[in-house]
Amino acid sequence: MALTLTRRVCGKCNKGAGTAMCYGCEQAFCTKHFLEHRQDLSQQMEYIGQEHDVIQRDLTHEQDTHFLITRINQWEQESITKIQIAAQSARTNLQQLLNRPKNNLQTSVSKITEELQSSRELDDYTELDIKRWTDQLQEFRKILDAPIPVNIDYEKDSRSAVRLIKINDQQSLDSLYQTSQVPEYNDWISHSSDTFLSERFDDIFGKVILSEGGLVATCAGGHADRSCVCGTSRYSVGVHYIHFRIEQTSTHYHSFFGIINSSEKMTFDIWNSSSFNGWWDLDYSVISGKSNRRLSPETIRMGDDVTLMLDCINRRIQLEHHRTNRTVTMSIDIQLCPFPWKIIVLLLGKDDCVRILQ
C-alpha cells in the first residue's frame, strides 16, 4: 500500500509549505512567517512584562489619597477643634464659678481688714467687737469651704460620635426669670450646697415679738420705735426666694422688705445705711439708704402675699406682689452692700404682723 502524505500550508500566507509547527496556536508556518509569529509573541511578552512591572510598582508605592480618607481627615480635625473649644469653654466657666465665692467676699473681707487695722492702731475694741469679727470670719470660712454646686453635662445628641461637655451651674435658675410661676420657697443656705433650711426671723431691734419658732414677727411698739427684724440665713451665692404674708398692717405706715449686709448692726437709723436696700411698697423703693418714691396708690395691704428674691449671681433683688402679679427689680451695688446679705423687715405700726410662709 502506498503512503499518502498530507501537506500543510502556511497559516499566514497560505502559499508556502508549513515547515514549522506552533503547538500554542496549533498552526503551521513557513519559515519566514514562523519567525514573524515568534516575534509577535515576543512583543506580547514584553507588554505583559511592562504591565507586571506597573502593578508591582503600585503595590510597593504610596497611592494618591483616597477622597474618603480626605473626608475622614477633615472630620477628625473638625472634631478635635470642637472638643478643644468645648474643653476651653468648660474650663473657663468652671474657674469663674470656683472663683465666685472669693470675688463676692472680697469687699466684705477688705472692710474687716480696715476695721482690724484701725482698731489695733487705736487700741479701740471690746469683747463685743472681737465676737462680731470672729462670727464674720467664721461665716466667711464656711462660704469659702463650701462645695460649689456644679456638674459636668454631656450633649444629648445621640447621633454625635463625640459627646461634647459643658459646665452646669446648679445654682443658676435663669429659666425661672422667664415665667411668672414662683418656685418652692425653701431657702438654700449659701454656705452649704446640700443643706436646705427654711428662713426664720431672729435678730430684732425695737419692740418686736417673735412667735411660732421665728416664723411670725409682730410689732409691739409704734413708729417712733423703728422696730425691725432680720432673718437667720446669710446669702452669698445662688438664687433664693422668701415668701411673706402681711397678716396685719396699719393704714398709716408701710412694712419694709429688703436686705442689708450681714455684718450691719441693727440701729435706730438702719434705714439710712448704705447697705439698706428694698421696698416699702412697689413704687416706694430704697436704694443704698436713699428713698425713691413715686406718686401712686399704695399696692401692698393686709392679707397680701409677696416674694422677695435674692439673686446673688446677678447681684440684684426682686419683689413680687402676687395679688396684682406685679414685679419690681433692683440692682445692688456690691461695694455698698457686700456679701453676705441678710433679709430685713421693718414694722412701724402697732400690731403690724408679717409671716414667713413655708
Side-chain angles (χ1 to χ4, degrees):
M1 178 181 290
L3 180 62
T4 302
L5 297 175
T6 302
R7 187 176 182 180
R8 304 185 66 173
V9 297
C10 175
K12 188 75 173 178
C13 62
N14 293 322
K15 294 179 180 180
T19 58
M21 186 70 182
C22 176
Y23 291 97
C25 62
E26 296 183 349
Q27 292 189 47
F29 295 95
C30 64
T31 302
K32 175 184 176 182
H33 289 130
F34 180 77
L35 294 176
E36 291 180 355
H37 180 63
R38 293 303 301 176
Q39 187 176 2
D40 289 341
L41 292 178
S42 178
Q43 291 176 350
Q44 292 179 28
M45 190 64 178
E46 182 67 23
Y47 175 77
I48 292 174
Q50 292 176 358
E51 285 295 314
H52 167 269
D53 293 342
V54 171
I55 291 177
Q56 184 69 29
R57 181 200 63 191
D58 292 342
L59 287 175
T60 57
H61 290 78
E62 292 290 339
Q63 296 180 343
D64 294 337
T65 303
H66 194 276
F67 77 97
L68 290 180
I69 294 294
T70 302
R71 288 179 57 184
I72 292 174
N73 293 339
Q74 181 180 359
W75 168 85
E76 178 186 26
Q77 293 303 317
E78 291 176 351
S79 298
I80 291 174
T81 300
K82 290 180 180 179
I83 292 173
Q84 290 174 337
I85 293 174
Q88 184 58 41
S89 176
R91 279 191 291 265
T92 300
N93 293 338
L94 177 59
Q95 195 60 55
Q96 290 176 349
L97 292 175
L98 295 177
N99 291 337
R100 182 185 292 164
K102 297 180 181 179
N103 296 335
N104 289 344
L105 288 178
Q106 190 62 50
T107 302
S108 297
V109 174
S110 298
K111 183 178 179 181
I112 290 184
T113 301
E114 295 176 358
E115 292 181 1
L116 291 175
Q117 291 176 347
S118 176
S119 298
R120 282 176 175 175
E121 292 174 359
L122 299 176
D123 195 22
D124 181 19
Y125 52 88
T126 66
E127 291 85 353
L128 295 178
D129 295 316
I130 292 176
K131 183 180 184 305
R132 176 169 58 86
W133 291 326
T134 300
D135 292 342
Q136 290 175 353
L137 292 176
Q138 289 177 348
E139 183 68 28
F140 296 160
R141 173 51 59 189
K142 290 179 182 179
I143 294 173
L144 286 176
D145 292 343
I148 304 297
V150 64
N151 197 4
I152 293 179
D153 279 348
Y154 293 88
E155 67 176 9
K156 295 180 174 58
D157 187 0
S158 59
R159 298 170 299 176
S160 176
V162 179
R163 298 176 64 196
L164 300 180
I165 65 171
K166 64 179 180 179
I167 295 300
N168 177 23
D169 179 7
Q170 296 177 352
Q171 297 172 5
S172 179
L173 301 177
D174 291 343
S175 60
L176 295 175
Y177 304 153
Q178 303 173 4
T179 174
S180 59
Q181 181 180 1
V182 178
E184 295 182 2
Y185 301 105
N186 291 331
D187 172 40
W188 182 79
I189 304 303
S190 61
H191 53 71
S192 177
S193 63
D194 54 2
T195 302
F196 289 84
L197 298 176
S198 299
E199 178 67 279
R200 294 176 184 272
F201 293 125
D202 182 25
D203 188 19
I204 65 174
F205 176 84
K207 298 179 180 180
V208 177
I209 299 174
L210 301 182
S211 59
E212 298 187 30
L215 294 178
V216 178
T218 304
C219 179
H223 180 273
D225 299 302
R226 297 190 180 182
S227 301
C228 54
V229 58
C230 289
T232 59
S233 299
R234 302 295 181 265
Y235 306 93
S236 295
V237 292
V239 180
H240 316 274
Y241 296 83
I242 303 94
H243 191 39
F244 301 96
R245 175 166 296 160
I246 296 89
E247 297 199 336
Q248 179 67 39
T249 184
S250 63
T251 57
H252 301 290
Y253 304 109
H254 301 270
S255 295
F256 178 87
F257 299 91
I259 63 167
I260 57 173
N261 174 256
S262 64
S263 63
E264 196 79 51
K265 295 181 179 179
M266 303 282 281
T267 62
F268 183 78
D269 59 348
I270 186 65
W271 54 29
N272 294 321
S273 169
S274 60
S275 76
F276 187 79
N277 297 273
W279 294 270
W280 293 102
D281 204 285
L282 297 186
D283 295 316
Y284 189 177
S285 63
V286 180
I287 302 176
S288 301
K290 298 180 180 180
S291 298
N292 180 22
R293 185 174 188 178
R294 292 186 295 175
L295 295 178
S296 61
E298 297 178 1
T299 303
I300 300 176
R301 59 195 186 203
M302 187 172 65
D304 284 353
D305 289 357
V306 296
T307 298
L308 181 64
M309 181 194 75
L310 279 60
D311 181 359
C312 302
I313 298 174
N314 297 298
R315 300 176 179 181
R316 64 175 185 170
I317 59 175
Q318 176 179 287
L319 187 68
E320 179 179 7
H321 185 249
H322 294 274
R323 178 172 52 81
T324 61
N325 199 28
R326 282 188 59 192
T327 300
V328 287
T329 304
M330 176 187 303
S331 296
I332 303 300
D333 187 339
I334 204 65
Q335 299 298 322
L336 299 178
C337 184
F339 294 111
W341 297 338
K342 62 182 177 182
I343 64 168
I344 183 171
V345 175
L346 272 68
L347 303 170
L348 301 184
K350 183 173 175 55
D351 297 327
D352 283 0
C353 180
V354 172
R355 174 186 294 273
I356 297 177
L357 297 179
Q358 300 297 295

